[in-house]
Amino acid sequence: MIIARQKRKENIVEYLIYMWQVEDLIRACHFDMDKIEECVISQYEQPENIKQEIRGWFQELIDMMRSEGVTENGHIQINKNVVAELTDLHLRLLKSPRENIYGTLYYKTLPAIAQLRSKSGGNDISELETCLTAVYGYLLLKMQGKEISSETTESIKQISSLLAFLAARFHEEEMPAQ
C-alpha cells in the first residue's frame, strides 16, 4: 500500500507493474492473510496502525480478486482501468501531430511489439498491454535468475523507453496546471 501509493504518484507504469506483482504475491500466498502477514506485512518497519492499514489494503485486494474471478490469472478492474487510461493516452499521443518524439519511439518499438505478439499469440490484447506484459515477464525472469537473450534485453530497453515517455506524459496530464 505504501509503495503502491508512492509509485502511483511518481510513475504510473511502475505502479501497474507493482500491482501485478502484488496480485501474483497474493496468489502465491493462496489468498491466506496469515501467510501475507508472515511474508510481507511483518517485514515493514511501521507502527501498528500503519500495519493495520496495510492488512486492510491486502484484504481488499483479496476480496476484489475473488469477486472479479481473477484468482488463477488476470488482473483486477482497478488495474485494467489503468491499462485502459494508458492505452487511451498512447492512442492520443500517436494521433497528435505535435507528438513527434512519441511517434518516433513507437515506430522504433513496433517491430519488437509485433514479434512479442506473434510469439505469445496475444493479439487479443492491446499493443500497450503487450509492452507492459513483456516488461513484467522480463522482471520475473531476472528475479528467477534465468538467462535472457541479448535480443530480448534490447527489445525490453526499447519498450521501456516508450513506456517511460508515456508514464511521464501521463504524470504531466495528471498534475494540475501551475
Side-chain angles (χ1 to χ4, degrees):
M1 176 200 78
I2 296 168
I3 296 168
R5 191 179 296 153
Q6 191 62 34
K7 288 191 176 297
R8 177 72 177 83
K9 287 179 190 172
E10 294 172 359
N11 186 311
I12 194 68
V13 171
E14 288 181 9
Y15 163 79
L16 188 61
I17 297 293
Y18 177 77
M19 290 301 294
W20 286 1
Q21 286 177 310
V22 170
E23 289 172 332
D24 282 345
L25 175 70
I26 290 170
R27 289 181 186 112
C29 290
H30 305 288
F31 297 82
D32 182 337
M33 275 304 295
D34 291 335
K35 283 186 182 178
I36 293 169
E37 173 73 40
E38 178 186 329
C39 297
V40 182
I41 299 169
S42 66
Q43 306 304 311
Y44 284 98
E45 293 183 17
Q46 295 291 329
E48 189 54 38
N49 65 322
I50 300 295
K51 285 186 176 186
Q52 273 303 116
E53 199 177 333
I54 294 167
R55 282 183 200 95
W57 182 73
F58 271 101
Q59 189 59 58
E60 285 177 21
L61 291 174
I62 287 170
D63 294 344
M64 281 186 237
M65 290 175 73
R66 285 183 171 146
S67 70
E68 294 175 23
V70 292
T71 56
E72 297 295 319
N73 56 43
H75 305 292
I76 54 177
Q77 192 61 49
I78 58 172
N79 292 337
K80 289 179 184 179
N81 292 347
V82 172
V83 173
E85 287 181 65
L86 286 171
T87 298
D88 179 57
L89 177 59
H90 163 74
L91 295 173
R92 282 189 288 123
L93 291 175
L94 285 178
K95 289 178 184 174
S96 173
R98 292 179 280 143
E99 286 296 340
N100 297 332
I101 295 171
Y102 189 76
T104 301
L105 279 170
Y106 170 74
Y107 287 109
K108 204 171 176 184
T109 308
L110 194 54
I113 296 169
Q115 185 177 28
L116 285 166
R117 290 176 75 135
S118 70
K119 282 182 180 178
S120 69
N123 293 328
D124 57 334
I125 62 172
S126 70
E127 290 176 338
L128 188 64
E129 192 167 351
T130 298
C131 291
L132 292 162
T133 302
V135 169
Y136 184 63
Y138 176 80
L139 292 173
L140 290 178
L141 290 173
K142 294 235 356 150
M143 288 189 314
Q144 295 168 1
K146 302 232 170 130
E147 190 173 323
I148 301 168
S149 72
S150 59
E151 181 183 76
T152 297
T153 301
E154 283 306 309
S155 291
I156 293 300
K157 282 182 186 175
Q158 188 61 48
I159 289 168
S160 294
S161 295
L162 180 75
L163 292 176
F165 190 95
L166 186 65
R169 277 293 193 267
F170 184 90
H171 184 70
E172 287 172 14
E173 284 194 7
E174 208 172 54
M175 297 300 294
Q178 297 190 16

